[in-house]
């Protein structure tokens, strides 16, 4: 990583709360309402309409509460997900979940376990960025600044290592001049590599960590790097976050 890239990464991490503060915590818990068109397309409308997610900060691991229906819960690790009923009894599980998405497109229906995998790794990644830039094996390049409707955004290109559960190996993050994450582009492999961008707004401070609480995901036009807001693939409204 060259000096200018390192300086931007350092400034971005500091703007979101800093390494020293983030290092004090082991887990995060967020309460969110998650909607958008993708869930109905996948056969699970309103599956995440009022949910809680607990994630570990030092490893890719987490769990949902109240997905699919109130009282249900799930567990997530990159190589295994499971769904439990209101009594804690196992309903289904999926080992090596990534492999189950081969040949998938945006329109391909999902099992409940596949939805757990997608929503878990995605939420973990969203909640831990930009701190997950420091995961061993990550490669980072600084790209040219981008003009977003008259606003100058600084961009970082991130390559995540093999075995890391995320949308795509390559992702692009955009930061405003205060160092806050305001846009995030990726190409979800589990959706056939389709292009998407997440717009991040309404940043709030939770236990000294700054995160965007309103997130809408749209179809990205790779040809000119623009997006249309008429179709919201996923909407995420974060109501509360607690770090421990």
């Amino acid at each position: 990583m060259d000096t200018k890239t390192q300086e931007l990464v350092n400034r971005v991490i500091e703007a979101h709360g800093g390494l020293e503060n983030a290092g004090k915590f082991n887990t995060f818990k967020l309460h969110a309402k998650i909607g958008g068109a993708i869930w109905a397309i996948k056969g699970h409308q309103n599956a995440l309409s009022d949910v809680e997610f607990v994630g570990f900060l030092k490893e890719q691991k987490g769990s949902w509460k109240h997905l699919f229906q109130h009282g249900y819960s799930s567990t997530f690790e990159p190589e295994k997900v499971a769904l439990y009923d209101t009594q804690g009894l196992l309903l289904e599980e999926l080992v090596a979940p990534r492999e189950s998405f081969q040949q998938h497109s945006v329109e391909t229906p999902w099992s409940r376990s596949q939805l757990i995998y997608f929503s878990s790794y995605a939420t973990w990644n969203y909640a831990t960025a930009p701190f997950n830039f420091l995961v061993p094996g990550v490669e980072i390049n600084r790209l040219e600044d981008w003009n977003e409707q008259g606003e100058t955004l600084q961009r970082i290109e991130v390559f995540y290592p093999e075995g890391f559960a995320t949308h795509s190996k390559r992702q692009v993050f955009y930061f405003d001049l205060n160092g806050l994450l305001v846009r995030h582009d990726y190409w979800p492999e589990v959706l056939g590599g389709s292009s998407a961008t997440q717009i991040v707004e309404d940043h709030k401070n939770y236990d000294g960590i700054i995160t965007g609480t309103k997130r809408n995901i749209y179809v990205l036009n790779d040809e000119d790097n623009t997006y249309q807001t008429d179709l919201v693939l996923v909407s995420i409204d974060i109501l509360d976050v607690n770090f421990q």
Side-chain angles (χ1 to χ4, degrees):
M1 194 186 315
D2 61 40
T3 302
K4 287 188 176 181
T5 302
Q6 186 68 65
E7 288 175 353
L8 179 55
V9 170
N10 292 346
R11 190 164 67 83
V12 160
I13 287 176
E14 195 62 33
H16 289 84
L19 268 184
E20 183 176 354
N21 186 44
K24 297 187 297 186
F25 304 115
N26 294 310
T27 62
F28 66 90
K29 177 180 179 181
L30 62 84
H31 178 199
K33 294 182 180 295
I34 302 176
I38 195 67
W39 312 114
I41 293 171
K42 295 301 186 181
H44 301 284
Q45 190 166 7
N46 300 320
L48 298 153
S49 58
D50 192 349
V51 288
E52 293 179 357
F53 184 79
V54 174
F56 289 76
L57 293 168
K58 307 286 195 298
E59 60 181 319
Q60 285 195 295
K61 185 177 179 182
S63 60
W64 287 108
K65 284 187 178 180
H66 312 312
L67 75 171
F68 302 114
Q69 71 178 62
H70 188 82
Y72 275 25
S73 61
S74 71
T75 56
F76 155 76
E77 297 177 48
E79 293 304 318
K80 182 179 179 181
V81 295
L83 175 66
Y84 301 89
D85 68 10
T86 56
Q87 305 302 313
L89 298 176
L90 178 67
L91 293 173
E92 61 183 83
E93 66 180 9
L94 182 60
V95 177
R98 193 74 168 204
E99 298 177 8
S100 72
F101 293 91
Q102 293 181 15
Q103 310 302 319
H104 272 223
S105 70
V106 173
E107 293 79 19
T108 309
W110 281 345
S111 68
R112 291 184 297 185
S113 291
Q114 287 175 319
L115 184 146
I116 292 168
Y117 175 73
F118 173 83
S119 61
S120 295
Y121 84 66
T123 301
W124 189 94
N125 277 266
Y126 300 158
T128 60
F131 299 100
N132 64 36
F133 295 175
L134 304 179
V135 167
V138 166
E139 297 179 12
I140 302 175
N141 301 311
R142 182 165 180 176
L143 302 179
E144 291 182 359
D145 292 350
W146 174 253
N147 187 305
E148 185 85 47
Q149 300 176 354
E151 181 182 8
T152 298
L153 302 180
Q154 297 178 308
R155 297 191 297 167
I156 289 175
E157 176 186 55
V158 177
F159 292 89
Y160 288 99
E162 293 296 328
F164 189 81
T166 188
H167 285 309
S168 54
K169 184 178 180 64
R170 176 182 179 267
Q171 300 179 31
V172 179
F173 296 81
Y174 301 64
F175 303 92
D176 66 17
L177 296 183
N178 294 317
L180 294 178
L181 177 64
V182 294
R183 176 175 164 179
H184 176 196
D185 297 349
Y186 41 85
W187 297 263
E189 296 165 359
V190 300
L191 297 174
S194 56
S195 307
T197 187
Q198 177 180 176
I199 303 303
V200 184
E201 301 173 298
D202 293 348
H203 295 79
K204 295 182 180 178
N205 186 319
Y206 296 100
D207 301 312
I209 303 297
I210 312 301
T211 191
T213 60
K214 183 175 179 59
R215 299 163 178 256
N216 286 315
I217 298 165
Y218 307 105
V219 175
L220 172 65
N221 184 341
D222 285 324
E223 291 184 2
D224 61 7
N225 204 40
T226 63
Y227 57 92
Q228 298 294 325
T229 59
D230 52 347
L231 175 65
V232 181
L233 292 174
V234 178
S235 63
I236 305 172
D237 292 297
I238 298 174
L239 308 181
D240 191 33
V241 185
N242 178 254
F243 291 89
Q244 294 185 339

